[in-house]
Amino acid sequence: MALQPKRFGTVLKNARMDKKLTQAELAEILDISLSYLKDLERFRNDPSYNVFEKVIRYFNLSADTVIYPDQEHADSTYQKLLRLLTRCDEDQLKVLLATAEALLSVTGSHETGPL
């Protein structure tokens, strides 16, 4: 993985602080040691693939922005929603579909029914 530890550590720390989590709380959520998390945030260690995946899923981040920091990435609302959808179970997806259909019917879109 072409990952830059400094970039990952910065993204990780900023995401943690945005959620107002302590390092200890996040270490517990990610099921990693506190010292490993501190090393990641201080650019002293590279994340394992498993930890990298847990971080991007938990914070709903785009992996591209971490792996390819020099490229422009439009992290649109649509892309964020797509990432969240992958975390939903079938019942949650049905609720979201019904909500989207209701929203579109209220706003004047005439397309309804299965996609």
Side-chain angles (χ1 to χ4, degrees):
M1 171 174 9
L3 186 63
Q4 298 178 5
K6 186 173 183 178
R7 176 70 178 174
F8 181 79
T10 301
V11 168
L12 176 61
K13 184 175 182 177
N14 289 340
R16 176 180 62 78
M17 293 176 74
D18 286 347
K19 283 214 175 208
K20 297 178 178 29
L21 294 170
T22 66
Q23 287 178 321
E25 290 169 332
L26 183 57
E28 185 174 331
I29 290 166
L30 298 176
D31 195 27
I32 61 175
S33 71
L34 179 57
S35 62
Y36 180 53
L37 177 66
K38 288 180 179 184
D39 284 347
L40 291 172
E41 286 191 2
R42 293 180 187 145
F43 327 125
R44 294 182 182 161
N45 208 341
D46 293 326
S48 67
Y49 177 79
N50 188 39
V51 169
F52 178 79
E53 182 182 15
K54 284 180 181 181
V55 167
I56 62 172
R57 285 187 180 272
Y58 180 76
F59 291 112
N60 194 35
L61 302 170
S62 166
D64 286 346
T65 60
V66 179
I67 295 173
Y68 307 109
D70 298 328
Q71 294 180 6
E72 289 279 327
H73 298 285
D75 200 16
S76 70
T77 302
Y78 179 80
Q79 290 168 327
K80 290 176 184 178
L81 184 56
L82 285 176
R83 286 195 304 275
L84 284 173
L85 290 174
T86 65
R87 298 170 55 187
C88 295
D89 64 26
E90 189 62 28
D91 289 337
Q92 292 167 324
L93 289 172
K94 287 178 183 177
V95 170
L96 290 170
L97 177 61
T99 302
E101 288 174 340
L103 177 63
L104 290 174
S105 70
V106 169
T107 59
S109 174
H110 299 291
E111 186 176 334
T112 58
L115 298 175

